[in-house]
């Protein structure tokens, strides 16, 4: 009996070749904000803060660890250099053990530094974070800040607002850009001081199976 060329080909190959391939992860990313666009947004946010808080004599900036501190530092620098605000107070707030889901994490959590060298009693506090997602980090920050006094008011500033991903009724007072992202997509914010560039990417982690 004659066999076809295709059968002859497969008869010479190892039995496992081409019959099974495990699940593979394929990551793609899309540029949401370029360095120039981030520069424009930062100036707009700094201008809005200057208009609302004037000389910051009764207002303080609080960067939420870990990624919010990079945005907070950039805004502080802009307020000083371009908007005439003299040394606005800036603190860093770690919320690791104030989150409602920290006990559910299988891996040991590593806390970041909290550095608030001033009282927030009767101050106008501006929380600063890079991405607003479920709102749970902000709820944790509201609890954590109570250790440093009772603020007169608390506002929220974020670079990216994932508006369709909220678990809690928390909204920003200042936002750089609204982003519509589904659950398997991640917003990645890069800063020159940490990542070598200013950029925002939408990262999609896909799992594909081939047989």
């Amino acid at each position: 009996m004659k066999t076809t060329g295709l059968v002859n080909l497969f008869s010479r190959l190892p039995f496992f070749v081409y019959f099974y391939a495990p699940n593979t992860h394929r990551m793609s990313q899309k540029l949401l904000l370029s360095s120039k666009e981030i520069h424009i947004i930062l100036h707009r946010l700094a201008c809005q803060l200057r208009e609302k808080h004037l000389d910051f004599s009764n207002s303080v900036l609080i960067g939420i660890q870990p990624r919010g501190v990079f945005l907070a530092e950039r805004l502080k620098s802009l307020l000083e250099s371009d908007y005439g605000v003299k040394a606005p107070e800036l603190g860093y707030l770690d919320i690791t053990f104030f989150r409602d889901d920290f006990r559910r994490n299988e891996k040991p959590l590593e806390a970041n530094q909290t550095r608030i060298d001033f009282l927030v009693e009767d101050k106008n506090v501006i929380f600063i974070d890079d991405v607003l997602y479920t709102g749970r980090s902000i709820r944790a920050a509201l609890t954590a800040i109570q250790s440093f006094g009772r603020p007169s008011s608390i506002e929220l500033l974020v670079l990216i607002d994932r508006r369709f991903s909220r678990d809690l009724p928390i909204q920003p007072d200042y936002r750089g850009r609204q982003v519509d992202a589904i659950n398997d997509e991640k917003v990645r914010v890069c800063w020159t001081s940490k990542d070598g560039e200013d950029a925002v990417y939408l990262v999609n982690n896909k799992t594909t199976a081939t047989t």
Side-chain angles (χ1 to χ4, degrees):
M1 182 176 66
K2 294 183 179 180
T3 57
T4 64
L6 182 61
V7 173
N8 284 328
L9 173 63
F10 275 94
S11 67
R12 293 194 297 269
L13 291 175
F15 75 94
F16 54 84
V17 176
Y18 298 123
F19 285 87
Y20 173 77
N23 288 342
T24 58
H25 291 277
R26 180 161 54 90
M27 185 178 70
S28 62
Q29 64 181 20
K30 172 185 176 184
L31 181 66
L32 292 179
L33 293 175
S34 65
S35 176
K36 183 178 180 180
E37 290 170 320
I38 290 177
H39 177 79
I40 294 171
I41 287 173
L42 290 181
H43 274 273
R44 171 169 58 81
L45 292 173
C47 187
Q48 291 174 341
L49 288 174
R50 180 70 167 86
E51 182 178 4
K52 175 71 180 291
H53 295 276
L54 303 177
D55 62 355
F56 276 73
S57 59
N58 199 48
S59 301
V60 297
L61 305 173
I62 301 291
I64 297 177
Q65 291 276 26
R67 304 291 297 189
V69 300
F70 302 107
L71 176 56
E73 288 170 350
R74 291 287 288 274
L75 287 171
K76 179 180 185 295
S77 178
L78 276 179
L79 287 168
E80 291 175 326
S81 62
D82 291 26
Y83 295 93
V85 179
K86 294 184 178 179
E89 290 186 299
L90 169 63
Y92 305 151
L93 181 64
D94 178 64
I95 60 168
T96 302
F97 299 114
F98 291 91
R99 292 183 59 94
D100 59 3
D101 57 356
F102 87 93
R103 295 185 185 276
R104 302 180 182 180
N105 201 311
E106 296 179 357
K107 298 180 180 179
L109 296 178
E110 182 177 346
N112 295 283
Q113 180 188 27
T114 289
R115 194 193 73 191
I116 300 178
D117 302 325
F118 47 83
L119 291 177
V120 300
E121 188 76 25
D122 294 327
K123 296 281 188 177
N124 300 310
V125 170
I126 303 113
F127 283 154
I128 298 175
D129 209 354
D130 59 348
V131 179
L132 176 58
Y133 185 25
T134 63
R136 294 182 181 276
S137 292
I138 305 305
R139 183 173 72 172
L142 290 169
T143 302
I145 198 65
Q146 295 176 15
S147 301
F148 299 91
R150 184 176 183 271
S152 175
S153 68
I154 297 178
E155 294 179 330
L156 174 61
L157 181 151
V158 297
L159 182 65
I160 301 295
D161 175 17
R162 293 186 56 162
R163 59 177 177 169
F164 294 142
S165 304
R166 210 81 75 242
D167 291 344
L168 302 172
I170 293 174
Q171 302 299 331
D173 299 280
Y174 314 90
R175 66 167 63 88
R177 174 73 61 87
Q178 279 189 331
V179 172
D180 300 335
I182 59 179
N183 289 334
D184 61 349
E185 293 176 322
K186 179 181 179 181
V187 176
R188 183 164 66 93
V189 179
C190 301
W191 299 106
T192 300
S193 59
K194 174 69 175 179
D195 310 295
E197 65 170 340
D198 285 343
V200 178
Y201 296 96
L202 183 64
V203 180
N204 192 342
N205 291 299
K206 294 181 179 180
T207 300
T208 58
T210 56
T211 57

